[in-house]
């Protein structure tokens, strides 16, 4: 007979994500997670295999939330340009103007793990980069189709999407400093 879950998985993931976000993966021990989450060690291992498995689930939860936010920004924006302005304003207000200086979990993961030989982390980060670039690229294609971007100004929208994403990651990383 399977054991009944004695915790709310979404709450555990959100709380664990918060701890990983504050401390980073390497500075967060299993004992830190047990203490912070109020869940016993064996439950964590049963549910997530190990600390890396829990971190991966937290990362995916964070990424899903960020993608939802981005899609909502562009859905609500009256123009594509207004969507990009709103996106960068959100990044600045969420990351640069807050006093906690904990940055973005995605960018923090880049700085903590890269370069890495951990295939699962490399896969998550590469997949995340592709998702973000595709989201940006779609908006750029829409802008070009509406003649909001002159064709002569953008030879390769994929390169532009990469540059915008790199700027977002750079802002996120610099937000942890006093620069």
């Amino acid at each position: 007979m399977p054991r009944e879950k004695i915790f709310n998985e979404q709450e555990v993931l959100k709380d664990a994500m918060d701890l990983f976000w504050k401390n980073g993966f390497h500075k967060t021990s299993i004992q830190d997670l047990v203490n912070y989450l109020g869940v016993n060690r064996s439950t964590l291992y049963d549910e997530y295999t190990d600390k890396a498995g829990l971190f991966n689930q937290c990362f995916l939860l964070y990424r899903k939330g960020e993608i939802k936010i981005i899609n909502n920004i562009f859905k609500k924006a009256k123009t594509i340009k207004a969507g990009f302005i709103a996106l960068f304003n959100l990044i600045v207000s969420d990351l640069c103007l807050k006093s906690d200086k904990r940055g973005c979990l995605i960018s923090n993961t880049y700085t903590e793990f890269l370069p890495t030989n951990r295939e699962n982390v490399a896969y998550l980060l590469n997949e995340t980069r592709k998702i973000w670039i595709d989201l940006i690229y779609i908006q750029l294609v829409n802008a070009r189709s509406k003649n909001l971007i002159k064709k002569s100004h953008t030879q390769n929208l994929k390169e532009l999407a990469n540059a915008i994403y790199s700027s977002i990651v750079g802002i996120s990383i610099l937000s942890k400093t006093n620069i």
Side-chain angles (χ1 to χ4, degrees), residues 136-152:
I136 295 166
Y137 176 74
I138 288 167
Q139 296 305 320
L140 295 173
V141 168
N142 287 339
R144 185 169 12 189
S145 72
K146 295 176 182 177
N147 292 321
L148 301 172
I149 300 175
K150 293 181 182 177
K151 289 182 182 181
S152 62

Side-chain angles (χ1 to χ4, degrees), residues 52 55-56 109 113-114 116 118-126:
F55 178 80
N56 290 350
T109 304
F113 281 99
L114 292 181
T116 185
R118 297 178 100 170
E119 288 184 30
N120 64 323
V121 173
Y123 176 80
L124 280 176
L125 290 172
N126 205 19

Side-chain angles (χ1 to χ4, degrees), residues 41-179:
R41 184 181 297 258
S42 63
T43 300
L44 288 178
Y45 282 112
D46 288 345
E47 290 297 318
Y48 304 105
T49 307
D50 57 12
K51 182 173 83 165
L54 176 58
F55 178 80
N56 290 350
Q57 292 303 308
C58 294
F59 184 92
L60 291 172
L61 179 66
Y62 180 85
R63 183 176 77 186
K64 182 180 177 183
E66 292 300 300
I67 291 167
K68 184 176 178 180
I69 290 168
I70 295 165
N71 284 328
N72 284 336
I73 285 172
F74 283 103
K75 185 185 277 185
K76 291 178 183 177
K78 292 183 180 182
T79 65
I80 295 166
K81 181 179 179 180
F84 277 107
I85 291 169
L87 175 62
F88 276 93
N89 283 338
L90 177 69
I91 290 167
V92 169
S93 67
D94 259 16
L95 299 175
C96 300
L97 301 179
K98 286 188 176 176
S99 60
D100 67 5
K101 300 288 187 198
R102 67 184 193 168
C104 163
L105 183 61
I106 295 167
S107 296
N108 294 355
T109 304
Y110 278 124
T111 59
E112 185 173 9
F113 281 99
L114 292 181
T116 185
N117 57 3
R118 297 178 100 170
E119 288 184 30
N120 64 323
V121 173
Y123 176 80
L124 280 176
L125 290 172
N126 205 19
E127 182 182 57
T128 301
R129 181 184 57 78
K130 287 177 185 175
I131 290 168
W132 269 80
I133 289 169
D134 286 346
L135 289 171
I136 295 166
Y137 176 74
I138 288 167
Q139 296 305 320
L140 295 173
V141 168
N142 287 339
R144 185 169 12 189
S145 72
K146 295 176 182 177
N147 292 321
L148 301 172
I149 300 175
K150 293 181 182 177
K151 289 182 182 181
S152 62
H153 291 157
T154 56
Q155 296 302 318
N156 189 333
L157 294 180
K158 231 8 163 178
E159 287 177 10
L160 182 57
N162 269 291
I164 292 169
Y165 179 68
S166 296
S167 296
I168 291 169
V169 171
I171 291 167
S172 299
I173 291 168
L174 287 175
S175 74
K176 293 180 72 166
T177 70
N178 288 325
I179 298 174

